[in-house]
Amino acid sequence: MARKHSKHGPYEDPQAEEDAPVAVVACWLCGRPTGKTIVWHHPVPKSRGGRDVVPMHPICQQTLTANFTNSELQRHGMDVEGLLADPAVRKFVDWVANKDPDFTATLTKKQR
């Protein structure tokens, strides 16, 4: 059976999509511009009824999940200043402030 439409339409310009400027989104936790990889994080975990999502670096999300339980994240909600009040998170944000947007590293897990 023949296709209705060809893979490459006569009016499409494949170069136009590649040349389009990419919108730079700031990370919710550290405020740095995001790189190629953006994680859409639920500040209030989905298991606790969270529906809102915010853009974050993967390393920033790993830091949150390593330092807070789901119930602690639920209590903080969308309050990023409350999260930054934690000394471990503040130390991380100060450390990562001058890193490349696509920077990644292995993080140690919090001993619970």
Side-chain angles (χ1 to χ4, degrees), residues 7-108:
K7 281 179 137 179
H8 305 287
Y11 301 110
E12 294 178 15
D13 183 14
Q15 295 292 337
E17 293 177 4
E18 294 175 7
D19 295 338
V22 178
V24 177
V25 181
C27 177
W28 180 72
L29 183 65
C30 69
R32 297 180 304 134
T34 55
K36 293 178 183 174
T37 306
I38 299 174
V39 175
W40 292 95
H41 175 74
H42 290 267
V44 176
K46 286 174 64 175
S47 64
R48 304 292 178 147
R51 294 180 182 254
D52 297 331
V53 292
V54 293
M56 291 181 75
H57 296 106
I59 194 169
C60 294
Q61 183 192 30
Q62 292 169 1
T63 300
L64 282 185
T65 56
N67 288 300
F68 297 102
T69 63
N70 281 351
S71 58
E72 290 171 333
L73 289 172
Q74 180 185 13
R75 276 179 273 178
H76 285 289
M78 295 291 289
D79 180 29
V80 73
E81 294 303 322
L83 296 171
L84 292 174
D86 183 83
V89 176
R90 172 49 66 189
K91 182 178 177 182
F92 166 78
V93 170
D94 291 342
W95 172 73
V96 82
N98 296 324
K99 306 285 189 223
D100 183 57
D102 290 318
F103 174 77
T104 185
T106 304
L107 299 174
T108 58

